Amino acid sequence: MWRQCIDKSYNSKFVQLNKIHPIRMGTFYILFIAVISAVVVHGTFDMKKQNIVFIMADDLGWNDVSFHGTDQILTPNIDMLGYSGVALERYYSHCICTPSRSAFLTGKYAHVTGMQGYPLTNSEDRGLPITEKILPQYLKELGYATHLVGKWHVGGSRGEYLPLKRGFDTHFGHMGGFVDYYEYTLEEKLSNDLVSGLNLYRNETPAWDVEGYLTDLYNKEAISIIKSHDESTPLFLMLAHMAPHGSNDGALLQAPPQDVRTMRHVESPERRIFAAMVKKLDDSVGDVVEALEEKGILNNTIIVFVSDNGAMTSGNSVNYGSNWPLRGLKMSPFEGGIRLAGVMWTPLPKANHLYRGYVHVVDWLPTLLNAVGAELPNNIDGISLWDDIIINKESSRKEMFEIDDMFGFASIISNDFKLVTGNVTPEYSDYQGGGSLLRIIGKPPSYFDAIKKSKAYKSLEKIDRLKDTEYYKNVRNTLKVNCDHIDESQICYTKSDKLCLFNIKDDPCETKDLSALFPDLVESMLLRLTEEKKRLIPRSPLYRNPKSNPAFFNYTWTTFADHL
């Protein structure tokens, strides 16, 4: 990597030397390489900081991206980032949006910051503790320009919780869990009544003047930031799309009609709108890659694309996403709630493979800091997996936790095994997202035609980062999860007096309870889980403060606690 950096630095900073005598030019180059080589060996070479673009989808299911094998919803731009970068086979996060975003920002499990449990409501006076140092603050110290576009959802009741107070230079987006895709309002139950208010902000000012489809607005803002970025400083852009999260109950699924029409091969009417929402998300990814290439900084940018948690096929905030054939939905500790789509693209050509080791959302903070040569904090749960992923070696991460004292369940993954305890919600813990939801009318659109027409493909072709179609097919086939016939009458549901043990490597769909076969393993994993629970900071009780009513603040959701 240092040699690539040397070549780039040489070409950009010493291009005027082409007028020097050839012998002198060659001598200078040899001396330059020698000096740089020496300082690299001694560890003092300060490599130019990489730009970071982190894209997070909202409630996108395992089966909602086409590089996992589906032909129903095509995501060619997202797929191309995985095919030309690193596709993460075993990427995990928390099962709910506020916990997963808190974990990403802090590098700590949500249960050690008190951010686990039911997602933050706009009427709660609660937020990510200001004592926690978060990723944009680390990057600001390294000279980064930091921008957040889209969803925040880790605190909006007080000014001190807001993005501009937590290390971001700018923010355009919604503070809470969701909004209407066209009106940007959020509806919430308050004092046995439904209240509504605008929840879209530019920095800390309500964005009353904005018009358009939300995914397009966020995409346009992200492109504008990239195009206007001053290259003398490195860029950190977090693009936290709301798509494909559901909206208010009266209009849960929303997409431009012309995009819904392109999904006529999807039989389910609800899934058809959802598919159009995912299409807009994927189009945005392509636009971002294209903008980086046209700016001339794609070869100096790390791009990450992940979902925050699994899809909500039914129930609260249903979006008709699919985690099939994985078991469970968002808000459950089963694989469908926590095993997600994830890719990482880097300028390093050698980082082009399928990565099969564990990666957890808490690992991004140290991994990205390590990637840009920063000193790593030692009081976090995240592990830097930069070297593991880049050279494709076994993951340093061996265990992961999901602990939720509000819903009353907990799980531990240790190597190939997963132990689930407590009271899971049965309707969120079964198998959904298959059957009629995945039916196709006629012939589906051509996958590889879509790949070759995508903006990401064309941009990556310009920098010579493509592979042959056979490679794409092999990755896609490997990532597709296949399970034997599932007898739902035999699957294990945990209760206060019942736990379940699964081998998630051999049985990724969690169909066979092995707790009776491996009592010693259950005991040791339960002991480790009990030890981890001692670190838990209890989730504050959910209290919807009537003084948060948007009617008191010109019909906007705002920092109401500052006015108490």
Side-chain angles (χ1 to χ4, degrees):
M1 182 172 183
W2 65 266
R3 191 176 300 276
Q4 181 187 29
C5 181
I6 291 168
D7 289 340
K8 181 171 183 179
S9 179
Y10 180 89
N11 290 332
S12 62
K13 294 182 181 178
F14 299 99
V15 67
Q16 68 269 24
L17 293 175
N18 62 4
K19 297 180 181 179
I20 297 177
H21 190 279
I23 295 177
R24 291 180 181 176
M25 178 68 174
T27 302
F28 180 87
Y29 187 75
I30 291 169
L31 290 172
F32 180 70
I33 293 294
V35 171
I36 295 300
S37 298
V39 294
V40 167
V41 168
H42 289 88
T44 57
F45 180 62
D46 184 17
M47 185 174 63
K48 182 180 178 181
K49 298 295 190 297
Q50 296 286 320
N51 303 302
I52 300 170
V53 175
F54 195 96
I55 306 172
M56 182 176 282
D58 200 347
D59 289 11
L60 182 73
W62 173 267
N63 199 38
D64 296 331
V65 289
S66 47
F67 74 99
H68 284 170
T70 180
D71 288 319
Q72 187 192 47
I73 300 178
L74 303 188
T75 53
N77 293 291
I78 297 169
D79 295 12
M80 279 308 306
L81 285 180
Y83 293 151
S84 64
V86 183
L88 304 175
E89 183 185 29
R90 299 175 78 77
Y91 175 66
Y92 284 79
S93 184
H94 288 310
C95 66
I96 307 173
C97 37
T98 295
S100 63
R101 291 162 201 276
S102 299
F104 164 69
L105 290 166
T106 62
K108 298 181 180 181
Y109 291 118
H111 64 266
V112 303
T113 62
M115 297 302 288
Q116 73 278 9
Y118 192 82
L120 189 64
T121 69
N122 277 31
S123 54
E124 282 185 271
D125 181 16
R126 175 174 167 262
L128 184 63
I130 60 173
T131 52
E132 296 294 338
K133 187 174 181 179
I134 66 174
L135 182 58
Q137 293 171 316
Y138 286 103
L139 293 173
K140 283 296 292 181
E141 292 177 353
L142 298 173
Y144 274 76
T146 56
H147 304 277
L148 171 61
V149 177
K151 181 171 176 174
W152 178 234
H153 207 196
V154 292
S157 62
R158 296 176 182 268
E160 62 189 11
Y161 291 149
L162 302 183
L164 269 60
K165 302 297 192 298
R166 307 303 296 269
F168 284 105
D169 294 329
T170 67
H171 175 222
F172 174 64
H174 56 294
M175 297 292 186
F178 59 88
V179 290
D180 184 277
Y181 279 85
Y182 289 99
E183 298 301 323
Y184 329 123
T185 55
L186 179 145
E187 188 177 57
E188 204 169 286
K189 193 169 184 179
L190 195 62
S191 301
N192 296 317
D193 192 17
L194 286 175
V195 300
S196 177
L198 182 80
N199 194 225
L200 186 68
Y201 280 77
R202 182 171 295 282
N203 296 324
E204 297 180 6
T205 303
W208 288 104
D209 59 327
V210 174
E211 292 183 7
Y213 184 65
L214 190 67
T215 306
D216 290 339
L217 293 177
Y218 288 166
N219 183 51
K220 182 179 178 181
E221 182 75 9
I223 301 306
S224 175
I225 289 171
I226 292 169
K227 287 183 176 180
S228 62
H229 176 64
D230 179 357
E231 294 179 59
S232 66
T233 61
L235 169 69
F236 171 54
L237 169 61
M238 182 177 179
L239 175 53
H241 274 295
M242 179 175 141
H245 194 291
S247 185
N248 298 303
D249 286 345
L252 275 167
L253 302 179
Q254 296 172 302
Q258 65 271 23
D259 292 291
V260 178
R261 284 178 173 269
T262 66
M263 299 296 162
R264 286 181 168 179
H265 63 280
V266 180
E267 179 182 319
S268 163
E270 295 85 2
R271 180 78 170 168
R272 187 178 298 182
I273 302 173
F274 174 86
M277 295 163 72
V278 174
K279 174 187 179 298
K280 297 297 288 184
L281 171 68
D282 183 72
D283 288 347
S284 175
V285 173
D287 288 342
V288 167
V289 176
E290 180 184 62
L292 291 168
E293 192 278 323
E294 290 180 347
K295 179 76 171 178
I297 60 174
L298 180 57
N299 255 333
N300 194 41
T301 301
I302 298 166
I303 307 172
V304 177
F305 175 88
V306 296
S307 181
D308 63 342
N309 45 249
M312 203 64 187
T313 312
S314 64
N316 186 33
S317 295
V318 57
N319 70 350
Y320 299 92
S322 172
N323 304 313
W324 183 263
L326 300 180
R327 177 184 177 184
L329 312 182
K330 169 184 176 180
M331 297 202 285
S332 89
F334 294 99
E335 295 290 275
I338 61 175
R339 185 178 175 185
L340 312 170
V343 301
M344 184 178 80
W345 190 92
T346 84
L348 301 173
K350 67 179 180 180
N352 185 190
H353 47 254
L354 172 62
Y355 188 66
R356 311 196 73 167
Y358 285 134
V359 181
H360 193 271
V361 65
V362 296
D363 298 324
W364 287 121
L365 184 145
T367 297
L368 294 173
L369 289 179
N370 191 11
V372 300
E375 185 177 346
L376 304 185
N378 57 17
N379 62 338
I380 60 174
D381 299 306
I383 301 169
S384 173
L385 301 177
W386 177 252
D387 293 336
D388 297 5
I389 295 172
I390 293 301
I391 65 175
N392 200 15
K393 71 175 185 178
E394 184 178 348
S395 176
S396 300
R397 175 157 295 285
K398 305 300 181 186
E399 68 175 14
M400 295 173 282
F401 296 98
E402 187 73 10
I403 299 176
D404 193 323
D405 56 331
M406 188 174 190
F407 284 104
F409 57 70
S411 71
I412 175 175
I413 292 174
S414 180
N415 295 308
D416 295 341
F417 289 89
K418 177 177 177 182
L419 183 72
V420 183
T421 70
N423 294 301
V424 299
T425 305
E427 54 266 37
Y428 295 159
S429 305
D430 56 1
Y431 298 90
Q432 300 182 36
S436 61
L437 207 64
L438 301 184
R439 289 178 189 157
I440 296 174
I441 299 173
K443 188 177 181 180
S446 169
Y447 178 64
F448 288 103
D449 282 352
I451 285 286
K452 292 180 179 179
K453 291 177 182 177
S454 69
K455 288 185 176 181
Y457 183 95
K458 294 173 183 177
S459 297
L460 293 163
E461 185 176 36
K462 291 179 182 177
I463 62 169
D464 195 26
R465 285 295 295 269
L466 300 183
K467 285 198 173 186
D468 58 63
T469 302
E470 283 304 310
Y471 175 78
Y472 304 157
K473 288 180 180 178
N474 289 336
V475 171
R476 199 168 182 237
N477 288 335
T478 302
L479 285 170
K480 189 170 185 177
V481 174
N482 294 300
C483 297
D484 297 332
H485 174 71
I486 298 169
D487 183 355
E488 294 197 41
S489 66
Q490 299 298 315
I491 62 173
C492 178
Y493 287 95
T494 64
K495 301 177 182 177
S496 57
D497 60 346
K498 170 65 177 173
L499 48 75
C500 307
L501 178 71
F502 307 100
N503 184 323
I504 54 174
K505 183 177 180 181
D506 296 340
D507 178 24
C509 296
E510 299 169 296
T511 62
K512 302 178 182 67
D513 173 31
L514 305 175
S515 59
L517 294 177
F518 301 106
D520 292 343
L521 180 59
V522 169
E523 183 178 358
S524 64
M525 292 179 70
L526 195 58
L527 184 64
R528 178 68 186 94
L529 183 59
T530 301
E531 188 69 22
E532 179 64 23
K533 284 183 177 180
K534 294 177 182 178
R535 303 175 63 217
L536 179 143
I537 295 177
R539 202 276 196 198
S540 301
L542 174 56
Y543 172 64
R544 301 178 186 270
N545 194 319
K547 294 183 179 180
S548 67
N549 193 329
F552 301 147
F553 306 100
N554 195 29
Y555 293 93
T556 61
W557 290 102
T558 188
T559 53
F560 69 90
D562 289 341
H563 304 276
L564 295 179

